[in-house]
Amino acid sequence: MKHYEILDAKTREKLCFLDKVEPHATIAEIKNLFTKTHPQWYPARQSLRLDPKGKSLKDEDVLQKLPVGTTATLYFRDLGAQISWVTVFLTEYAGPLFIYLLFYFRVPFIYGHKYDFTSSRHTVVHLACICHSFHYIKRLLETLFVHRFSHGTMPLRNIFKNCTYYWGFAAWMAYYINHPLYTPPTYGAQQVKLALAIFVICQLGNFSIHMALRDLRPAGSKTRKIPYPTKNPFTWLFLLVSCPNYTYEVGSWIGFAIMTQCLPVALFSLVGFTQMTIWAKGKHRSYLKEFRDYPPLRMPIIPFLL
Amino acid sequence: MGRLTEAAAAGSGSRAAGWAGSPPTLLPLSPTSPRCAATMASSDEDGTNGGASEAGEDREAPGERRRLGVLATAWLTFYDIAMTAGWLVLAIAMVRFYMEKGTHRGLYKSIQKTLKFFQTFALLEIVHCLIGIVPTSVIVTGVQVSSRIFMVWLITHSIKPIQNEESVVLFLVAWTVTEITRYSFYTFSLLDHLPYFIKWASPTMPECCYRRYNFFIILYPVGVAGELLTIYAALPHVKKTGMFSIRLPNKYNVSFDYYYFLLITMASYIPLFPQLYFHMLRQRRKVLHGEVIVEKDD
């Protein structure tokens, strides 16, 4: 039986003293006990660590295995208000879906009054609406039924940041594509067909990767394994890249940009690519750190290059 | 909570306004102590946008700086001296013009080449951060320098009718005093820890610190006012000529209206200026009065 005291990591103030804690107890249970005395700090916003400047302990860590004496000191840091990943994803994806349609149907006060509720005469504009809507519906469904998240929550302020990004860009793109003065692509139907093919292939690819990643991790677990190609040809990109889901995502947006020949779409693709490259590099680095036998041929996001 | 110990203060770092900087090695020393140089430089935090780049850049203390190569030190010293000299030349030219002509009309035209040269040269500071010889965030420096480049090239250079506005002189004065203070401060910081440097430089360091952390109180709002008034004066002309704008329809299905862009830029000063200003005030209290302010962790 051990005793645990929880101190504030910044002020070293004694916040809580827990005596007679079971050695097999986990950090998650400590967090629950701590919430009882400080109800404003629910478990998701607690960061407990052995060193005030050290890394956060994981919920699954067993107390017995921690390197401490008879009375252990845990340092607490408030992570701020938290919001669940699922909530954030649903909100940030539902926005663009809805907003794009407002522009597509030329709802009043966006374009001149004579254009209210009119329809574009260009086929590519209708195609673009289908593609854009499909993309975000796919994302919403994946959030609900496919993805398995390692963290339950993220800081609340992220939802404002993320929604501004997604909703803002969606409105900006949709404004031009659905504008009465929209100019269709220079190379006409050929360009649209090619771009549409790229878009569809990349959407299928992206979905295949999400399914493959899901199958790597059993329901309710937080295990991490090296992903490998499966029978699905779209997953063969795993041979060359650590995060093919991002590769396919960039591909989809490039396809959409070529299809609509709209500069704001190209800019959105560029910004997205930059962010996803940062994420891919981080993920790649963690894979390398965690697994000794990580395939050396793989690059983070672009085969052989990046 | 009262005063914190040095260790705790050093550990908590200072993240006001989201600007990252090196954690302050705080010490309650008086500004006259020779080690003031160490505190000043290290406690500096990045900041600014428009306005005087008073909030300035962050340099590490001599004691805790990573080993900077001889080449890098030599280059930075040359750069800081050159920039100090350049802005001094600008200041002198402005004073002389006013003394000879008695008016500010034509002042911008007479100094524009020098201004453009030295302000554009400052783009190098982004490179300094990128290659790591200056421990400041690339993004912060990028924002600072970009806002200056914006004012010089996209406003005063491009919109000729506003070149004789009084507001132009306002921000030019603010910028000049700021830059001379800032670059001389950096020059002395660098020279101060060359082992064979002459002792006479050290006593001037606290003077530089003092100037730097007090001048901004006036200079920063003055600079911001000058910039905002200048952009405001430029608006009618931009609207009339439709300059720097793209209209629909066009091949790339995009549009840009410089007039609205300027309006948004002006609006962005509202959230940014107070943050940076109060941040510099906090830095000043810390550095000049040895107070420790516990900042909310992000």
Side-chain angles (χ1 to χ4, degrees), chain A residues 10-11 13 53 77 157 172 175-177 179 181-184 186 260-264, chain B residues 1 4 7-8 10-12 248-256 294-298:
Chain A
K10 270 186 289 179
T11 62
E13 187 189 328
K53 289 180 226 165
R77 231 183 128 192
R157 86 178 84 90
W172 196 41
Y175 175 77
Y176 291 108
I177 300 170
H179 201 284
L181 296 176
Y182 171 77
T183 309
T186 313
T260 55
Q261 198 166 297
C262 177
L263 193 59
Chain B
M1 211 42 219
L4 298 181
S12 67
L248 287 178
N250 61 69
K251 205 160 59 147
Y252 295 113
N253 293 301
V254 67
S255 68
F256 180 74
V294 181
E295 310 237 351
K296 208 166 64 144
D297 256 320
D298 247 24

Side-chain angles (χ1 to χ4, degrees), chain B residues 261-274:
Chain B
F261 175 76
L262 288 181
L263 286 179
I264 293 171
T265 305
M266 287 177 73
S268 74
Y269 275 70
I270 299 176
L272 289 168
F273 168 69

Side-chain angles (χ1 to χ4, degrees), chain B residues 194-249:
Chain B
L194 282 179
Y196 47 83
F197 186 73
I198 315 155
K199 273 294 178 198
W200 58 261
S202 305
T204 62
M205 256 306 283
E207 182 55 36
C208 266
C209 303
Y210 174 83
R211 279 197 211 123
R212 184 185 187 163
Y213 283 96
N214 283 308
F215 286 7
F216 84 91
I217 298 178
I218 303 291
L219 287 177
Y220 197 34
V222 167
V224 167
E227 291 173 29
L228 282 176
L229 286 168
T230 308
I231 301 175
Y232 184 71
L235 289 177
H237 184 83
V238 170
K239 189 162 207 177
K240 198 173 62 166
T241 60
M243 61 185 288
F244 293 169
S245 304
I246 315 170
R247 303 259 133 129
L248 287 178

